[in-house]
């Protein structure tokens, strides 16, 4: 069962900008409802929507926590770095894969990395993140198969994303 | 009574096949089992989960496989019990007489999955890794080696080498870097080489003249 984050999880929610935005907004609406009862008739619908968004974010947070705990068992990576990279990976890939990507798997942890797999048209992409407790940010690795060619790119999350976007636009002729 | 496939055992008149001879044979296919507890595919795709590509970590890091031919697809279900694996799974020296594992020393697991590797595809392709911060490019290639064990003459190892023919586990790089190379290798195999078990393999058998001693 998914529950709202506990007080000790406050560091977790702070890492998720969407959560913070929704949370602050819902608090503002609650305050309005509490202090200005005459506005009640206009706000409940919005509050319900926000609460539903909050719940879906909590579910996401729950998943990230599980992934983090799994990863932490073999690499003492900092939690903030982990969550930031997780979101960054999703953000940059949303600019690369088509809106209706045929297949996106759940983010998984294998013994050496955090990875996600995307498949669309004739293209298969592994986005891998390798954390190191001594490094501030992870090494990103994208392994892509497209049009019968295979390419592996390593660098920062932003670097590999920009490179692979360009490579895909040019049928991996880089 | 043992029903272990006796045809898999090394015979006194067998030779270990030279690496270059093996690499030059067209149409060879390899087969490898997937442990029953592994998730075979990624999500609802037919792409093999890279975690199923098991890289041995004992001596050299290699991928253990079997050469199809005398070794048939149904033989993939047989395995040696861990407690006695040292005596049966150690490398055959080319002359030792081998014994058939008795009942209790082996198991048969028909729930195991398996996948195929067509050697021609493996041989034709190199793996390129582009390192953006250093603006460098690394190139790796595969070799298959005949590494018969005392219970399976058809055991084959796939090893990965850099452009200077240095095997990956011997490269002077950090453990993290080596892990990244292995991940690329596994992703390459599942996206570009591996055939899943829903296809019927079409392979050539190794000519007996290559692995049998002349009388």
């Amino acid at each position: 069962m998914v529950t709202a984050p506990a007080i000790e999880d406050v560091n977790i929610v702070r890492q998720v900008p969407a959560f913070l935005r929704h949370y602050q907004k819902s608090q503002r609406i609650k305050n309005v409802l509490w202090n200005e009862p005459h506005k009640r008739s206009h706000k409940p619908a919005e509050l319900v929507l926000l609460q539903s968004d909050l719940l879906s974010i909590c579910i996401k947070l729950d998943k990230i926590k599980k992934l983090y705990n799994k990863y932490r068992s073999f690499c003492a990576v900092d939690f903030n770095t982990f969550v930031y990279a997780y979101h960054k990976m999703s953000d940059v890939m949303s600019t690369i894969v088509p809106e209706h990507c045929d297949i996106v798997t759940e983010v998984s942890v294998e013994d050496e990395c955090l990875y996600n797999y995307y498949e669309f048209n004739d293209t298969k992409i592994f986005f891998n993140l390798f954390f190191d407790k001594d490094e501030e940010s992870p090494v990103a690795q994208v392994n892509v198969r497209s049009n019968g060619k295979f390419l592996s790119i390593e660098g920062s999350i932003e670097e590999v994303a920009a490179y692979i976007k360009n490579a895909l636009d040019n049928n991996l002729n880089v | 009574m043992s029903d272990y496939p006796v045809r898999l055992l090394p015979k006194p008149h067998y030779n270990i096949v030279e690496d270059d001879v093996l690499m030059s044979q067209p149409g060879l296919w390899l087969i490898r089992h997937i442990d029953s507890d592994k998730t075979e595919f990624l999500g609802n795709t037919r792409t093999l989960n890279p975690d199923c590509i098991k890289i041995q970590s004992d001596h050299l890091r290699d991928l253990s496989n079997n050469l199809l031919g005398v070794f048939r697809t149904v033989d993939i279900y047989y395995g040696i019990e861990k407690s006695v694996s040292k005596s049966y799974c150690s490398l055959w020296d080319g002359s030792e007489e081998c014994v058939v594992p008795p009942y209790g020393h082996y198991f048969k697991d028909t729930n195991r999955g398996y996948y195929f590797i067509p050697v021609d595809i493996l041989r034709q392709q190199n793996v390129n890794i582009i390192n953006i911060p250093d603006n460098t490019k690394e190139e790796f290639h595969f070799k298959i080696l005949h590494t018969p064990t005392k219970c399976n003459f058809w055991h084959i190892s796939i090893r990965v080498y850099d452009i200077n023919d240095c095997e990956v586990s011997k490269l002077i790089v950090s453990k993290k870097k080596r892990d990244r190379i292995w991940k690329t290798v596994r992703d390459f195999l599942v996206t570009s080489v591996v055939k899943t078990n829903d296809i019927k393999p079409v392979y050539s058998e190794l000519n007996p003249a290559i692995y049998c001693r002349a009388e």
Side-chain angles (χ1 to χ4, degrees), chain A residues 14 19 43 54 96 105 161 165-166:
Chain A
R14 276 189 186 143
F19 181 89
K43 298 292 182 184
L54 281 172
I96 293 172
T105 62
K165 192 170 175 20
N166 180 46

Side-chain angles (χ1 to χ4, degrees), chain B residues 82-143:
Chain B
K82 249 189 185 156
S83 57
V84 288
S85 65
K86 266 193 179 164
S87 46
Y88 294 104
C89 300
S90 54
L91 294 178
W92 182 58
D93 68 3
S95 61
E96 286 166 279
E97 208 163 300
C98 302
V99 292
V100 183
Y103 189 76
H105 283 194
Y106 70 92
F107 61 87
K108 191 176 179 181
D109 179 2
T110 51
N111 290 322
R112 276 177 163 187
Y114 54 89
Y115 60 85
F116 303 108
I117 292 184
V119 175
D120 290 345
I121 300 180
L122 197 66
R123 198 171 36 201
Q124 286 158 7
Q125 300 196 37
N126 290 344
V127 178
N128 295 314
I129 301 178
I130 294 168
N131 203 317
I132 301 175
D134 307 339
N135 196 21
T136 54
K137 185 175 161 186
E138 299 156 285
E139 198 177 302
F140 297 91
H141 61 275
F142 296 89
K143 284 185 188 175

Side-chain angles (χ1 to χ4, degrees), chain A residues 112-125:
Chain A
E112 73 272 33
C113 73
L114 181 77
Y115 77 90
N116 208 357
Y117 175 73
Y118 306 81
E119 195 173 303
F120 53 93
N121 306 329
D122 187 32
T123 302
K124 297 175 174 187
I125 300 177

Side-chain angles (χ1 to χ4, degrees), chain A residues 70-97:
Chain A
K70 197 173 171 190
Y71 203 96
R72 196 168 54 169
S73 63
F74 53 83
C75 179
V77 59
D78 168 64
F79 182 77
N80 294 355
T81 307
F82 188 86
V83 177
Y84 179 79
Y86 175 97
H87 283 281
K88 197 80 193 163
M89 173 169 75
S90 306
D91 286 351
V92 298
M93 283 311 283
S94 67
T95 66
I96 293 172
V97 298

Side-chain angles (χ1 to χ4, degrees), chain B residues 4 20 34 50 60 150 182 202:
Chain B
Y4 187 85
D20 51 348
I34 300 167
L60 284 177
K150 289 173 189 166
W182 284 122
V202 183

Side-chain angles (χ1 to χ4, degrees), chain B residues 20-68:
Chain B
D20 51 348
V21 175
L22 192 64
M23 282 294 280
S24 65
Q25 300 304 305
L28 301 181
W29 278 47
L30 309 177
I31 182 170
R32 166 73 194 185
H33 75 265
I34 300 167
D35 290 333
S36 307
D37 62 340
K38 295 280 181 200
T39 308
E40 259 184 73
F41 299 106
L42 288 167
N44 55 353
T45 70
R46 292 297 295 171
T47 302
L48 194 72
N49 185 339
D51 192 33
C52 294
I53 307 277
K54 204 170 179 179
I55 297 169
Q56 305 284 105
S57 55
D58 38 8
H59 43 104
L60 284 177
R61 299 266 305 214
D62 59 28
L63 292 94
S64 190
N65 283 270
N66 308 285
L67 182 66
L68 279 173

